[in-house]
Amino acid sequence: MRTHGKRYTAAAATVDRASFYPAKDAVEKVKAGATAKFDESVDVAVRLGVDPKHADQIVRGTVSLPNGTGKTIRVLAIAQGDKAKEAEAAGADFVGIEYIQKIKDGWLDTDVVVATPDVMGQLAPLGKTLGPRGLMPNPKAGTVTMDVGRAVRELKAGKIEFRVDKTGIIHAAIGKKSFSSEALEQNLQAFMDAILRAKPSAAKGQYVKSVTVSSTMGPGVRLDPAGYHV
């Protein structure tokens, strides 16, 4: 049976698991319960009323969090010529077509891969390597584009990709415990707005079934899903 430490137990005692909290109160509860010695991530888990087994009910998209994620994102830009220079000027950590071979050799020291359309043919064979790690560039996520400079800047500033998993849940990090409550609340609202915009037309009934916010080591705090509807 799973047991929790004294810090978690003390934090959990301040949260009424049977109640819903307004977003402002929820993030304050999460911050207060994040008592680890490191700067814990603040995460949100959203359970949706969709069946991801059906292609027309898959929920995915991107959102630029107004206050960033608090994480340093390493961006690889696979591009050539002027587009490679553009990516480098925008702040990409790794740039160049040569990284295709490096990935084939086992290199995966990046968080996001951006590519121009003209190199996707060379990247396609790496789908089995990049796909399971969520690194394969995708036009829908804005990571296959000729505007590589803009893509890199947005990713560095806090743009994240989200996708519903096979159980109908979307997980995402929306900041750090060191963020102010206001900054976390703004990021949460921006994320939920994006989830609502991404609602597939095939989804029927209640779309947002539950919303829970938590820190890396702290208890979850529930928000009223009725507050998020389209």
Side-chain angles (χ1 to χ4, degrees):
M1 184 175 178
R2 185 181 179 185
T3 58
H4 293 291
K6 292 181 179 179
R7 289 182 179 179
Y8 179 95
T9 302
T14 68
V15 178
D16 184 352
R17 301 299 293 272
S19 297
F20 294 125
Y21 289 84
K24 182 177 184 297
D25 295 345
V27 296
E28 288 177 351
K29 286 280 187 184
V30 169
K31 279 174 59 68
T35 57
K37 295 181 179 179
F38 62 93
D39 193 9
E40 297 179 51
S41 288
V42 175
D43 307 311
V44 60
V46 184
R47 185 165 62 91
L48 300 175
V50 298
D51 185 352
K53 293 179 182 178
H54 299 286
D56 60 355
Q57 293 190 48
I58 292 176
V59 180
R60 70 179 301 172
T62 60
V63 57
S64 294
L65 299 178
N67 301 293
T69 63
K71 295 180 180 179
T72 299
I73 303 297
R74 298 165 300 173
V75 179
L76 162 62
I78 299 180
Q80 307 176 80
D82 290 342
K83 290 300 175 181
K85 294 178 182 177
E86 182 182 322
E88 191 170 27
D93 300 273
F94 314 101
V95 181
I97 198 77
E98 66 271 17
Y99 278 91
I100 292 177
Q101 184 59 49
K102 289 185 178 182
I103 293 171
K104 289 180 181 178
D105 295 337
W107 184 91
L108 285 169
D109 195 22
T110 187
D111 300 303
V112 187
V113 180
V114 176
T116 49
D118 59 299
V119 302
M120 286 305 294
Q122 299 176 62
L123 266 178
L126 296 176
K128 291 183 179 179
T129 300
L130 298 177
R133 295 171 174 80
L135 293 175
M136 192 67 184
N138 187 295
K140 292 182 178 179
T143 47
V144 176
T145 175
M146 287 302 291
D147 197 352
V148 288
R150 178 181 177 182
V152 170
R153 284 191 295 273
E154 288 181 342
L155 289 164
K156 284 289 191 177
K159 183 179 181 179
I160 62 172
E161 181 180 4
F162 59 85
R163 182 186 175 104
V164 67
D165 67 18
K166 61 183 180 181
T167 66
I169 298 175
I170 291 179
H171 299 269
I174 57 168
K176 296 283 189 175
K177 75 173 183 181
S178 57
F179 283 24
S180 68
S181 295
E182 182 181 18
L184 287 171
E185 187 180 355
Q186 290 172 350
N187 279 1
L188 173 61
Q189 186 62 55
F191 180 75
M192 292 306 302
D193 286 345
I195 295 291
L196 296 178
R197 287 195 299 270
K199 179 182 179 181
S201 58
K204 305 300 180 184
Q206 184 178 357
Y207 178 51
V208 177
K209 289 186 171 289
S210 70
V211 182
T212 305
V213 183
S214 64
S215 64
T216 305
M217 305 295 290
V221 182
R222 300 197 306 162
L223 285 74
D224 187 354
Y228 302 103
H229 57 82
V230 286

